[in-house]
Amino acid sequence: EAGVTQFPSHSVIEKGQTVTLRCDPISGHDNLYWYRRVMGKEIKFLLHFVKESKQDESGMPNNRFLAERTGGTYSTLKVQPAELEDSGVYFCASSPRKGSYEQYFGPGTRLTVT
Amino acid sequence: AQSVSQHNHHVILSEAASLELGCNYSYGGTVNLFWYVQYPGQHLQLLLKYFSGDPLVKGIKGFEAEFIKSKFSFNLRKPSVQWSDTAEYFCAATPSGGYNKLIFGAGTRLAVHP
């Protein structure tokens, strides 16, 4: 079974540019989560999809961040325009609708805004 | 507000030493508790989890954790560490009964010297 995949693994952009991160969850997992870890700090929740619907987006920092999950499969997280403080590692995780509550994490995308 | 605290940010041990990493959570209701590990260059993976029942839970690679409700703690232990245990360890919590966001502690970097 393929795990959660994320693309790209690393992105370096300039302040003011746009970046789109992609997450492919484990097939059949209805729940998809985005998290972010800014250097040296804890991993923080951004938002949660159940299928294509946003269940909880209380962790989204501001309206420069836009997440979508069209069709309830993969998800994208767009940052527009990027700011220096957006640098960090963005993790995606998925879990089944019914099951063990365990979230399966992807390898993360390291975003560097210069 | 819900929070998770990890007592040590950096731990250095010699092989065969015993390990205990502290974790305390702040939440008034019933919680599910997790320890995740991130080995160098790899993605986050689940070490063990507690939902209910026996407060002493055993995970992979010889790790165990004890849930002490009165102390709001979920400390991770291993009797004898190996060089391959060098990694970053994260304690996390989520309210029971739903597929909710994980609240993470800040992480503990463990370095095991041969």
Side-chain angles (χ1 to χ4, degrees), chain A residues 21-72:
Chain A
L21 314 181
R22 172 170 170 145
C23 168
D24 287 79
I26 292 172
S27 178
H29 281 195
D30 287 346
N31 295 281
L32 187 150
Y33 306 81
W34 284 98
Y35 295 86
R36 177 175 73 172
R37 189 182 195 195
V38 172
M39 185 181 293
K41 300 201 173 180
E42 69 270 24
I43 300 169
K44 284 196 170 180
F45 167 81
L46 295 178
L47 88 159
H48 170 204
F49 284 99
V50 177
K51 296 186 179 179
E52 67 275 8
S53 299
K54 291 176 185 174
Q55 179 78 10
D56 179 356
E57 50 183 330
S58 61
M60 294 289 264
N62 50 60
N63 59 10
R64 295 184 295 102
F65 288 75
L66 175 64
E68 295 180 324
R69 193 183 182 195
T70 307

Side-chain angles (χ1 to χ4, degrees), chain B residues 2-75:
Chain B
Q2 302 164 25
S3 66
V4 175
S5 299
Q6 292 184 239
H7 306 161
N8 312 95
H9 294 297
H10 291 92
V11 174
I12 302 172
L13 294 173
S14 298
E15 276 193 317
S18 64
L19 170 71
E20 180 161 3
L21 302 182
C23 172
N24 287 90
Y25 65 93
S26 171
Y27 182 68
T30 306
V31 295
N32 297 324
L33 295 160
F34 306 81
W35 276 96
Y36 279 86
V37 61
Q38 186 171 29
Y39 297 102
Q42 298 187 26
H43 56 87
L44 279 160
Q45 55 187 283
L46 184 69
L47 263 183
L48 46 78
K49 60 192 176 189
Y50 173 78
F51 294 151
S52 63
D54 188 344
L56 184 63
V57 292
K58 294 190 184 297
I60 61 172
K61 305 187 179 186
F63 286 90
E64 66 178 31
E66 184 175 14
F67 170 59
I68 302 179
K69 188 175 181 179
S70 61
K71 296 184 178 180
F72 296 89
S73 70
F74 189 57
N75 292 355

Side-chain angles (χ1 to χ4, degrees), chain A residues 33 35 37 48 97 100 103, chain B residues 36 51 88 98-100 102 106:
Chain A
Y33 306 81
Y35 295 86
R37 189 182 195 195
H48 170 204
R97 185 64 175 148
S100 64
Q103 294 182 23
Chain B
Y36 279 86
F51 294 151
E88 190 161 17
Y99 292 85
N100 297 307
L102 289 168

